[in-house]
Amino acid sequence: MKQIFTHTLGLLLAVTLVATEANAQQFTKRKQYNSVGITLNAMNYFGDIVPKASFASFRVAASRPNVGINVTRRFAPRLSGRASFAYGRITAEDSKAADQNDPDARYRYNRNMNVRNDIFELSAVGVFDLIENRNNYLKRPDFVPYVFAGVAVFHHAPKGLVEGGNTGGLTTGSYIDLQPLQTEGVSYSKTQISIPFGGGVRYKLNKSFDIGLEIGWRKTFTDYLDDVSKNYIERSRLVTPAAQYFGHDNVRNTTDFTNFNEPGQMRGKGNEKDWYIVTGLTLNYILAPRVKSPKFR
């Protein structure tokens, strides 16, 4: 997957640079324009709390809303720049994602982890249209497929639900902020960088509005979107009731595994970073550029 991502991003950037150089001289400023838009999406994630231990595995029922706003600038016949701000939520539960009758998933079912994570994202991407428009916005194509890639900064805050059992006095049904607990003895930042990339199609509704369908992946550089990464640690290092509950005591009572949550035992895969994915609709309004009349003396 890493090789596919690297090759796709490299190809996109190379094509974008070539297209920009070739078209910049032929696309006058009078044909450039701006647009503003809103997005309504579904949000999912790939990480340690999924049905299968694979990148393509996610639980559709765990999808949550994502909303955003964006500003786009058309620079060339195929190239635009887009800045966006979005908010969304990802959720995951071992009890629902992992099948206890599946030998490959029983471990995750018994681990019994859950997470809810609210994510705020600010991104800047380059958008490359597969169909060019050398005219002004009024004569833009009716249907345009496109690809995009860029960079984003996001703030996340994973929280866990107290479900019962040996809660150590915690209120059942409450959500606890997981990052300060250091459930694996690791301190990680809530502010992170990601690489957004993907593609979509855009349809011209009328002279002022476009509607689009888009799917975008976010390659992150953290394995803690779900607060699960590596191994269990000594219970004595978990100094609060909340840390002891989420870092040690919330496993299921089972005879399937010996010393299931003992120090050094596997808690997460630990060899892959987490991803999140955004899929949905965009409605863009084109800000008609002002046309300056020539001055005569």
Side-chain angles (χ1 to χ4, degrees):
M1 185 61 207
K2 291 182 179 179
Q3 291 182 346
I4 294 175
F5 165 73
T6 302
H7 293 162
T8 301
L9 181 59
L11 178 61
L12 174 60
L13 293 176
V15 172
T16 300
L17 290 174
V18 172
T20 303
E21 183 69 21
N23 294 325
Q25 301 301 324
Q26 304 176 32
F27 198 76
T28 64
K29 289 186 177 180
R30 296 180 62 181
K31 295 179 181 180
Q32 295 176 354
Y33 58 89
N34 301 321
S35 63
V36 295
I38 57 175
T39 61
L40 178 61
N41 308 296
M43 198 169 183
N44 298 95
Y45 109 111
F46 304 124
D48 290 280
I49 310 177
V50 291
K52 298 287 185 179
S54 66
F55 174 79
S57 178
F58 70 94
R59 181 170 168 262
V60 175
S63 302
R64 293 296 182 269
N66 173 286
V67 295
I69 57 175
N70 65 72
V71 178
T72 303
R73 173 68 174 177
R74 168 73 60 177
F75 291 108
R78 293 183 186 269
L79 185 65
S80 301
R82 184 177 72 194
S84 305
F85 177 77
Y87 160 77
R89 173 177 290 176
I90 58 174
T91 65
E93 299 176 64
D94 277 335
S95 61
K96 296 180 179 179
D99 182 0
Q100 61 179 318
N101 298 315
D102 182 350
D104 293 331
R106 190 178 299 127
Y107 160 76
R108 293 186 298 279
Y109 179 81
N110 292 329
R111 181 180 58 187
N112 197 32
M113 297 298 300
N114 72 79
V115 70
R116 183 184 78 181
N117 197 340
D118 293 335
I119 297 177
F120 295 86
E121 178 192 81
L122 181 64
S123 66
V125 302
V127 181
F128 183 77
D129 290 349
L130 303 184
I131 298 176
E132 68 178 7
N133 174 30
R134 294 183 177 276
N135 298 303
N136 59 28
Y137 77 99
L138 294 172
K139 296 182 180 180
R140 67 191 188 278
D142 291 335
F143 181 83
V144 179
Y146 62 89
V147 293
F148 68 89
V151 64
V153 59
F154 68 94
H155 180 84
H156 72 116
K159 295 181 178 181
L161 174 65
V162 180
E163 297 180 298
N166 183 17
T167 64
L170 301 175
T171 302
T172 300
S174 62
Y175 279 93
I176 305 295
D177 191 359
L178 297 175
Q179 185 261 1
L181 304 182
Q182 297 189 21
T183 53
E184 295 183 0
V186 175
S187 176
Y188 58 88
S189 175
K190 290 184 176 181
T191 301
Q192 300 280 344
I193 299 294
S194 71
I195 305 296
F197 67 100
V201 292
R202 187 171 62 247
Y203 179 73
K204 176 183 176 182
L205 292 176
N206 54 41
K207 69 175 184 178
S208 298
F209 285 96
D210 287 339
I211 190 170
L213 175 64
E214 181 175 293
I215 180 171
W217 289 266
R218 272 54 170 183
K219 161 64 177 173
T220 78
F221 300 92
T222 178
D223 196 22
Y224 284 99
L225 289 184
D226 45 26
D227 196 64
V228 180
S229 179
K230 297 180 175 62
N231 301 323
Y232 286 96
I233 63 174
E234 295 84 355
R235 193 175 189 275
S236 60
R237 295 174 58 189
L238 304 168
V239 296
T240 66
Q244 292 169 359
Y245 176 78
F246 289 105
H248 189 274
D249 297 338
N250 64 328
V251 299
R252 298 182 185 279
N253 293 323
T254 176
T255 59
D256 290 353
F257 298 90
T258 303
N259 299 323
F260 180 73
N261 55 350
E262 290 300 307
Q265 294 296 313
M266 183 174 66
R267 190 167 184 259
K269 296 191 297 291
N271 57 351
E272 296 181 7
K273 303 302 183 184
D274 294 336
W275 296 62
Y276 59 97
I277 181 174
V278 179
T279 307
L281 297 172
T282 300
L283 181 66
N284 285 326
Y285 174 72
I286 295 174
L287 304 173
R290 295 181 180 180
V291 178
K292 295 182 180 181
S293 300
K295 296 180 180 180
F296 297 95
R297 293 184 178 178

